[in-house]
């Protein structure tokens, strides 16, 4: 023992062990911090704890070499064995995570339990887990002249078992490395393989060269971990750097995606609240603007104005020059409105060729506010009336403007737009290119029209059952008293408003598209009356006339549907006279001409109603396959024998020259009859003959007429 105390000194070997321990501790601290920053990453934390165990193994090995007593040497060996036993769970965890195949929790728990068992046995065994019995200690001289302390004893089976498990652990680690290499992670796998190979060689060196062969060389187990610490630390630092770069790339990509998403959201929001063509706020945004203006008006006790602007001639331009020119026109109108509207006004596009201007801060007095709003509207209309250059085309569009005042009390946005629309409808009805301010009585008119439209729609839907529609019949007679036929006139009784004039509900039916079903019902009813009267031998003349709307004539299926309806009723088409107005010819003369020839070819008689009140042209009149010309009542009311109407005389003469029958409407006096007889008019229709009557009353009138004319015919035959 005295020799040992003399020769066990701090030299190169122990200094290297202490340096190894310091390097391992430093690496352990570094990767503990990294692991904590990486949200307790198992790879870095297990490696840090493994480095800590390696540091303990090297440090206690150095203290063992410097031990001056056997008890001190045994305690240092016990500490070394404890560090070795505790390193196993961290070794398995690290290699598994490093190779990309982490151990299952259950497997790791078994390994940990075995290592704890080794740790406990090592703590309470007299000779640690490596020796069954310690026989003594000695000083051993290293090849370079340094002396270190060594223990002698009988190796225990538990120690050999621990060595075997160590070799199995290294074999498993090499297998993990091989699989990692095959997956393509070649550089990390090769580094792991190099470290394992060095440690495996160090184990063989200690077990074979020193323990079995008894050669006086030092154990290098602790030193073999130094490449492991350095190379694995370098490898993981490289991987961490790569992950950091990937994370930065991912962060940049996510930021770019977030920026793109934000731009997309802003774009979608802009599209949701703005018109894509003009860039102006759309209807949704306009509703918000009106609500915001109403809130401001409530606070300042002022008025605001909403102006609906409708372009008068836009459809003509769009149809004639194409949608491309129409779009450019709308863009130019938007620019002109931006220049014409007051600086504080809000401008938007409702859709189609309708725009809106919202003006705030008008006077609190309604009359002053209305006057000022109308003046602004007139200025805007005047600016829009000036010609606009679009793609080398000089175009002019007028504008009709409807103005509605509102304040904080009546600023409901949909109601404001509705009132402005009502005023716009009045402006267009007044001849377009006008400005109208909404007034309360306009609302009652609009409500009445809505009530008419609802009632008309309900009535049309009830066609075929107990319908509120009815046909009245007015006879047409020759100037000699002979019965020529009759005209079927449509009548409608509203359940609330009562009798509604045809000139009121027919335009509504045309605007809503109900005229097609209603017109078909009229023709069907006329055919039913002809069939009924023929069965009863009622003489009503040669034909029955029905009015045809321009909208019906323009429908592509009108000819086929009408022919099918009449033929299925069993009535010859020649007994039906279709009365057309001149407005039907103005909406596409060529198409109307083809339709009329198709109807005439089927056998229908055609009449031109209210001739002379429209844009009559002898050039197109000669082309039409007409059978009758009906002289409008406006030319009949002033007829007297001593004052012939040149227009009525002209129409009769034109009809005679073109081979058409002429029938005068609205005949109410004997003097008118006499004048028309003198002019050579063929037929008469009016209250002088008979007012329009329901079907039953008309049959009674026919019977009375028949009884009244029979004696006259008998007297003439007797004479």
């Amino acid at each position: 023992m005295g020799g040992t105390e003399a020769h066990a000194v701090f030299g190169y070997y122990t200094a290297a062990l202490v340096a190894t321990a310091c390097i391992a501790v430093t690496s352990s601290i570094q990767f503990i911090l990294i692991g904590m920053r990486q949200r307790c990453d198992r790879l870095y934390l297990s490696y840090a704890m493994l480095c800590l165990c390696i540091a303990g193994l090297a440090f206690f090995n150095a203290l063992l070499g410097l031990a001056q007593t056997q008890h001190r040497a045994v305690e240092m060996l016990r500490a070394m064995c404890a560090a070795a036993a505790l390193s196993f769970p961290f070794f398995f965890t690290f290699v598994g995570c490093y190779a990309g195949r982490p151990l299952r929790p259950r497997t790791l728990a078994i390994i940990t339990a075995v290592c704890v068992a080794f740790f406990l046995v090592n703590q309470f065994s007299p000779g640690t887990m490596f020796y069954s019995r310690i026989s003594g200690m000695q000083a051993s001289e290293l090849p370079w002249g340094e002396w270190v302390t060594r223990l002698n004893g009988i190796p225990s089976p538990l120690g050999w078992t621990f060595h075997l498990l160590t070799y199995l652990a290294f074999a498993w680690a090499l297998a993990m490395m091989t699989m990692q290499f095959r997956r393509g992670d070649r550089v990390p796998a090769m580094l792991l393989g190099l470290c394992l190979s060095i440690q495996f060689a160090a184990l063989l060196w200690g077990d074979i060269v020193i323990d079995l062969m008894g050669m006086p060389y030092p154990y290098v187990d602790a030193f073999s971990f130094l490449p492991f610490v350095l190379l694995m630390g370098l490898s993981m630092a490289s991987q961490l750097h790569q992950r950091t770069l990937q994370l930065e790339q991912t962060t940049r990509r996510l930021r770019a995606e977030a920026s793109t998403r934000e731009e997309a959201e802003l774009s979608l929001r802009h599209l949701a609240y703005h018109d894509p063509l003009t860039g102006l706020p759309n209807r949704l945004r306009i509703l918000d603007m009106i609500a915001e203006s109403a809130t401001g008006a409530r606070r300042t006790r002022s008025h605001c104005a909403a102006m609906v602007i409708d372009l008068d001639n836009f459809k003509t331009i769009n149809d004639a020059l194409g949608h491309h020119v129409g779009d450019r026109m709308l863009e130019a109108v938007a620019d002109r409105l931006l220049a014409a509207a007051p600086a504080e006004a809000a401008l938007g596009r409702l859709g189609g060729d309708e725009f809106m201007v919202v003006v705030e801060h008008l006077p609190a007095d309604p009359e002053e506010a209305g006057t000022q709003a109308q003046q602004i509207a007139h200025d805007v209309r005047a600016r829009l009336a000036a010609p606009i250059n679009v793609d080398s085309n000089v175009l002019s569009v007028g504008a009709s403007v409807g103005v509605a005042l509102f304040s904080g009390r009546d600023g409901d946005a949909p109601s404001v737009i509705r009132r402005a629309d009502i005023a716009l409808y009045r402006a267009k009805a007044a001849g377009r290119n006008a400005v109208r301010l909404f007034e309360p009585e306009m609302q009652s008119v609009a409500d009445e029209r809505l009530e008419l439209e609802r009632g008309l729609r309900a009535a049309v839907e009830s066609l075929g059952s107990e319908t509120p529609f009815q046909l009245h019949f007015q006879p047409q007679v020759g100037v000699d008293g002979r019965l020529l036929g009759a005209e079927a006139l449509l009548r409608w009784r509203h359940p609330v408003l009562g009798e509604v004039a045809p000139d009121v509900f027919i335009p509504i039916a045309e605007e809503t598209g109900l005229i097609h079903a209603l017109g078909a019902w009229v023709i069907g009813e006329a055919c039913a009356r002809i069939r009924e009267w023929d069965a009863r031998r009622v003489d009503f003349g040669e034909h029955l006339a029905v009015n045809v709307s321009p909208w019906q004539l323009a429908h592509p299926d009108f000819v086929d549907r009408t022919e099918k309806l009449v033929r299925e009723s069993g009535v010859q088409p020649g007994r039906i006279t279709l009365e057309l107005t001149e407005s039907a010819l103005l909406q596409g003369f060529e198409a109307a001409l083809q339709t009329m020839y198709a109807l005439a070819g089927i056998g229908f008689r055609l009449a031109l109603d209210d001739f002379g009140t429209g844009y009559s042209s002898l050039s197109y009149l000669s082309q039409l396959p007409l059978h009758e010309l009906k002289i409008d009542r406006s030319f009949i009311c002033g007829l007297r024998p001593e004052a012939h109407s040149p227009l009525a005389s002209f129409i009769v003469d034109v009809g005679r020259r073109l081979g058409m029958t002429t029938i005068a409407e609205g005949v109410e006096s004997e003097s008118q009859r006499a004048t028309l007889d003198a002019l050579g008019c063929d037929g008469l229709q009016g209250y002088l003959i008979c007012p329009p009557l329901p079907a039953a009353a008309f049959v009674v009138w026919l019977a009375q007429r028949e009884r009244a004319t029979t004696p006259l015919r008998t007297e003439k035959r007797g004479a």
Side-chain angles (χ1 to χ4, degrees), residues 37-108:
R37 290 184 59 185
Q38 296 294 322
R39 299 183 179 181
C40 298
D41 192 298
R42 292 175 59 191
L43 173 67
Y44 301 114
L45 292 180
S46 61
Y47 176 75
M49 297 307 296
L50 183 58
C51 288
L52 196 60
C53 292
I54 293 172
L57 185 64
F59 182 70
F60 291 124
N61 195 358
L63 293 180
L64 173 62
L66 296 175
Q68 301 299 317
T69 63
Q70 181 175 324
H71 175 73
R72 177 71 173 177
V74 171
E75 290 304 317
M76 294 303 101
L77 178 61
R78 194 185 306 278
M80 287 176 56
C81 294
L86 294 177
S87 68
F88 267 72
F90 303 118
F91 176 79
F92 278 97
T93 301
F94 168 72
V95 173
C97 293
Y98 185 87
R101 298 178 66 88
L103 291 180
R104 296 179 180 178
R106 184 175 180 181
T107 304
L108 187 60

Side-chain angles (χ1 to χ4, degrees), residues 573-587:
R575 303 191 67 186
I576 299 292
T577 300
L578 303 178
E579 293 190 2
L580 313 172
T581 60
E582 291 186 47
S583 58
L585 307 178
L586 297 177
Q587 300 178 4

Side-chain angles (χ1 to χ4, degrees), residues 582 611 614-624:
E582 291 186 47
F611 180 73
Y615 301 94
S616 304
S617 171
L618 295 179
S619 62
Y620 78 68
L621 185 64
S622 62
Q623 303 177 46
L624 301 178

Side-chain angles (χ1 to χ4, degrees), residues 306-309 337 340 342 357 359 370-384 399-403 434-437:
M307 305 177 186
V308 177
I309 303 167
L337 284 174
V357 176
V359 181
T371 302
Q372 188 171 334
Q374 289 185 82
Q375 183 58 50
I376 295 173
H378 280 294
D379 293 341
V380 170
R381 182 191 59 79
R383 291 289 295 271
L384 291 179
S400 300
V401 185
V403 183
V435 174
R436 289 293 182 272
L437 177 66

Side-chain angles (χ1 to χ4, degrees), residues 293 500 605 616:
S293 299
V500 182
R605 300 181 76 255
S616 304

Side-chain angles (χ1 to χ4, degrees), residues 132-160:
S132 300
R133 183 172 58 86
I134 302 295
S135 58
M137 59 177 287
Q138 65 178 16
S140 176
E141 185 180 9
L142 299 178
W144 53 87
E146 182 180 349
W147 291 82
V148 294
T149 300
R150 285 187 179 177
L151 287 173
N152 297 320
I154 301 174
S156 69
L158 189 61
W160 289 110

Side-chain angles (χ1 to χ4, degrees), residues 543 577 605-608 626-630 660-661 663:
H543 50 264
T577 300
R605 300 181 76 255
L606 302 179
L608 189 60
L626 296 173
H627 301 84
E628 292 180 8
L629 279 182
K630 300 193 72 175
M660 302 177 190
T661 301
I663 297 180

Side-chain angles (χ1 to χ4, degrees), residues 249-313:
Q249 292 177 357
T250 302
T251 302
R252 287 195 295 269
R253 186 171 64 252
L254 291 176
R255 287 177 179 172
E257 291 178 357
S259 177
T260 302
R261 187 180 299 110
E262 183 178 358
E263 291 177 359
E265 290 176 356
L266 291 175
S267 177
L268 289 175
R269 182 175 180 83
H270 182 82
L271 290 175
Y273 289 99
H274 290 79
D275 173 50
L277 178 63
T278 62
L280 298 176
N282 60 10
R283 179 179 287 271
L284 288 175
R285 181 64 187 122
I286 289 172
L287 293 173
D288 293 340
M289 291 191 304
I290 293 176
E292 293 168 1
S293 299
T295 302
R298 185 184 302 112
R299 184 173 57 254
T300 59
R301 300 183 181 277
S302 60
H303 276 89
C304 303
M307 305 177 186
V308 177
I309 303 167
D310 183 83
L311 305 182
D312 292 334
N313 301 321

